[in-house]
């Protein structure tokens, strides 16, 4: 069985929201211009799952999306150096998990969302993934 990697992808909801992804059915995750975040995009494989995080407005994980196409060149980049992926919505979380909630929880002290707060695409460990899913359902 193939290992599924987990990620967290930030988007400002006034630029690209969870509801818009659901409406479109599939979206292109482009415009990333940070090397570490771009490397995370390059490491993604079809079937990997990501938390959809609303940044700036809301500051919360609102849903789960799945990588539907990987290894793409960002169409917004004239140089052809930057990566992007396509994502499809899987499901909205039963309850959003807020940044405030994550910061207050010692179980999530090492999450990249906090440690590398400016990173727009970050790694989520299996333990963090399972824990956050539990928070959203509790």
């Amino acid at each position: 069985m193939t290992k599924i990697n987990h990620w967290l992808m930030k988007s400002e909801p006034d630029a690209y929201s969870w509801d818009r992804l659901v409406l479109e059915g599939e979206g292109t995750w482009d415009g990333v211009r940070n090397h570490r975040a771009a490397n995370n995009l390059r490491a993604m494989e079809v079937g990997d799952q990501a938390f959809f995080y609303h940044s700036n407005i809301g500051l919360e994980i609102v849903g789960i999306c799945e990588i539907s196409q990987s290894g793409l060149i960002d169409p917004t980049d004239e140089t052809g150096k930057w990566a992007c992926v396509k994502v499809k919505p899987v499901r909205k979380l039963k309850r959003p998990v807020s940044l405030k909630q994550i910061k207050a929880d010692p179980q999530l002290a090492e999450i990249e969302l906090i440690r590398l707060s400016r990173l727009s695409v970050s790694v989520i460990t299996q333990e963090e993934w399972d824990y956050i899913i539990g928070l959203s359902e509790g």
Side-chain angles (χ1 to χ4, degrees):
M1 188 168 155
T2 308
K3 180 182 181 287
I4 294 176
N5 295 307
H6 295 101
W7 310 92
L8 181 137
M9 302 170 83
K10 294 180 180 179
S11 181
E12 297 173 16
D14 55 346
Y16 194 79
S17 68
W18 169 258
D19 290 340
R20 183 168 161 199
L21 174 63
V22 170
L23 185 66
E24 292 177 354
E26 183 177 55
T28 302
W29 210 275
D30 57 15
V32 173
R33 297 296 184 267
N34 171 286
H35 289 285
R36 183 163 180 165
N39 285 338
N40 286 341
L41 287 173
R42 286 184 193 95
M44 291 178 176
E45 297 179 11
V46 171
D48 284 358
Q49 293 196 335
F51 285 130
F52 193 113
Y53 178 87
H54 278 167
S55 61
N56 290 355
I57 303 166
L59 301 176
E60 59 192 3
I61 299 170
V62 295
I64 297 171
C65 55
E66 185 171 297
I67 310 309
S68 54
Q69 291 183 46
S70 60
L72 304 174
I73 303 294
D74 187 332
T76 67
D77 171 32
E78 294 176 10
T79 69
K81 294 178 188 174
W82 295 99
C84 77
V85 296
K86 290 197 179 237
V87 297
K88 288 186 175 182
V90 172
R91 67 179 170 93
K92 189 172 186 171
L93 294 184
K94 286 182 183 175
R95 263 191 9 216
V97 179
S98 71
L99 178 61
K100 184 177 180 180
Q101 189 178 358
I102 291 167
K103 282 184 171 180
D105 197 316
Q107 290 285 336
L108 296 170
E110 293 301 311
I111 194 169
E112 284 190 352
L113 176 64
I114 296 170
R115 287 190 309 106
L116 304 170
S117 61
R118 295 186 53 91
L119 192 62
S120 63
V121 180
S122 56
V123 173
I124 296 288
T125 67
Q126 184 66 53
E127 294 75 21
E128 292 164 346
W129 181 269
D130 294 340
Y131 191 79
I132 290 168
I133 295 292
L135 290 175
S136 76
E137 292 174 352

